[in-house]
Amino acid sequence: MKTTVDHLLALGDDALIAAQRLGEWVAAAPELEEDVALANIALDQLGAARLLLTYAGELEGAGRDEDALAYLRDDREFRNCLLVELPNGDFAVTMAKLLFLAAYQLTLYTALSGCADERLAAIASKARKEVAYHLDHARLWTVRLGDGTAESHRRMQAAVDEIWPYTHELFLPDPTAPVDPAGLRAEFLAIVEPVLAEATLERPADDWAPEGGRRGLHTEHLSYLLAEMQVLHRAHPGARW
Amino acid sequence: MSDDPRTRTGGGAPAKTADRSGWPLWEVFVRPRRGLAHHHVGSLHAPDAELALRNARDLYTRRQEGVSIWVVPAAAITASSPDEKDAFFAPAADKVYRHPTFYEVPEGAAHL
């Protein structure tokens, strides 16, 4: 299958919006070391987003570079999954989001690193190493909070319950993609279910499955996020930074 | 679920110190990729050894491949006392018999 611009935008936008949310934690994390760790993860995601959006811009052939794609599209043109644009909530919500995102990215990037598109394969194998670390970090905290105190357990369970429905969108069929995400959910579950079990958390039932992000139909959170992210670029169009 | 926080296994978290965070202090030693020995590079706070290792990786190695990191609870380190420096480190340069200078170094003995 040929790589499409939309597919690259979906991957790039996931990473970009996740990086933006993680960046909001800087100087607000529970500990100095965690501040550094979250900033590190955000930087990794941003790095992947830059590579993917640059490639998307070149493939599109309309002269849009990574900055034009990040700063001059509105929410209806963004292809990220809903999960990454949800607010950070408390530390448990942030860790639940990171756990599910990293588990998804790890399975997807691993599959993509063997795909026929050499450039996408190279980006995926670079990003794969990074998200393995992100997954590890989220796993440790999920277990710590879930199997910590009564209060941290309660919050971690609430976070997992809140975020779980948004994991379904990650595996919607996309027959035109180099790797169809529909086939990856089993692998995703094989990663996250043991983590939830070790953290003494209930795996939520699969019922409500909100989606729309891949088609540019987002939650009410994204346009606020973009307003903040894009404000300077829109105030001074064409400026060099 | 009980109300009391349980310390998790996986690195033997040291006893809590009464510092600002409640997270104990760890000393970090790093061996560079082409280095021969671990060097002390600094310290950090972490709830246990597992996270101390990850925090050390973020802070002190920037995730270079192929480095080795040791983390040690600061409480586990016994330091020599500065007051006893003279007795402790009095040089023995005048006692030639204490220096292995009378031996040929065999071929192939590395890192001496």
Side-chain angles (χ1 to χ4, degrees):
Chain A
M1 280 294 174
K2 276 185 60 66
T3 312
T4 61
V5 175
D6 258 3
H7 182 64
L8 291 170
L9 288 178
L11 299 179
D13 289 348
D14 281 355
L16 176 66
I17 303 303
Q20 184 73 6
R21 282 289 185 224
L22 286 164
E24 293 170 9
W25 271 104
V26 171
E31 283 290 336
L32 183 62
E33 284 81 2
E34 193 55 28
D35 233 22
V36 174
L38 291 175
N40 242 310
I41 294 169
L43 284 169
D44 285 345
Q45 292 283 350
L46 188 63
R50 293 186 59 188
L51 293 170
L52 290 160
L53 292 180
T54 299
Y55 185 16
E58 288 176 27
L59 196 64
E60 184 189 47
R64 294 203 284 183
D65 63 1
E66 52 178 317
D67 283 356
L69 287 170
Y71 294 121
L72 299 173
R73 282 181 298 152
D74 65 18
D75 60 328
R76 294 301 292 265
E77 297 173 275
F78 268 78
R79 294 284 170 267
N80 58 280
C81 58
L82 303 178
L83 185 147
V84 293
E85 73 199 42
L86 298 174
N88 284 332
D90 64 9
F91 191 68
V93 171
T94 292
M95 283 303 137
K97 284 174 64 183
L98 185 60
L99 177 72
F100 299 147
L101 175 71
Y104 157 72
Q105 286 179 326
L106 184 66
T107 55
L108 184 57
Y109 288 157
T110 303
L112 283 173
S113 56
C115 78
D117 180 339
E118 279 182 20
R119 181 163 172 186
L120 181 56
I123 296 171
S125 50
K126 177 184 182 294
R128 192 195 161 284
K129 274 189 278 190
E130 294 167 349
V131 298
Y133 168 73
H134 307 168
L135 176 64
D136 180 59
H137 190 84
R139 180 182 61 80
L140 281 175
W141 276 114
T142 303
V143 170
R144 261 181 189 74
L145 296 169
D147 194 13
T149 65
E151 175 63 7
S152 71
H153 176 85
R154 185 188 66 73
R155 284 179 180 238
M156 196 68 231
Q157 184 67 62
V160 168
D161 292 347
E162 182 187 336
I163 303 300
W164 188 264
Y166 294 92
T167 61
H168 299 291
E169 184 190 18
L170 303 170
F171 305 100
L172 289 177
D174 182 2
T176 65
V179 171
D180 189 344
L184 298 175
R185 187 161 169 89
E187 217 174 317
F188 165 85
L189 292 174
I191 294 173
V192 299
E193 282 178 343
V195 177
L196 297 180
E198 192 188 348
T200 68
L201 297 165
E202 293 282 320
R203 199 213 100 161
D206 296 333
D207 43 18
W208 186 50
E211 58 87 27
R214 297 285 183 237
R215 293 177 291 129
L217 304 175
H218 292 276
T219 66
E220 66 274 25
H221 304 293
L222 184 65
S223 48
Y224 290 101
L225 182 150
L226 294 180
E228 187 176 38
M229 189 173 92
Q230 299 174 340
V231 58
L232 209 58
H233 219 87
R234 294 206 183 261
H236 305 279
R240 296 192 47 198
W241 303 95
Chain B
M1 294 301 301
S2 63
D3 257 324
D4 53 309
R6 284 163 289 162
T7 45
R8 303 196 50 80
T9 52
K16 277 196 171 186
T17 52
D19 65 353
R20 94 198 134 70
S21 66
W23 280 14
L25 187 68
W26 299 75
E27 299 298 335
V28 183
F29 300 79
V30 172
R31 184 168 61 76
R33 198 185 331 185
R34 291 193 176 73
L36 293 174
H38 287 74
H39 295 277
H40 181 242
V41 291
S43 57
L44 49 80
H45 290 91
D48 57 42
E50 254 183 320
L51 269 166
L53 208 52
R54 282 162 181 80
N55 292 342
R57 191 204 69 150
D58 284 349
L59 286 165
Y60 295 112
T61 72
R62 292 280 170 196
R63 274 183 272 166
Q64 294 169 49
E65 314 272 335
V67 295
S68 161
I69 305 173
W70 291 345
V71 291
V72 184
I77 294 175
T78 308
S80 61
S81 143
D83 307 340
E84 296 163 9
K85 204 165 62 186
D86 290 349
F88 231 74
F89 303 111
D94 57 329
K95 303 173 185 149
V96 291
Y97 52 84
R98 296 188 60 166
H99 300 283
T101 52
F102 309 105
Y103 303 97
E104 295 285 317
V105 178
E107 281 290 314
H111 316 319
L112 278 180

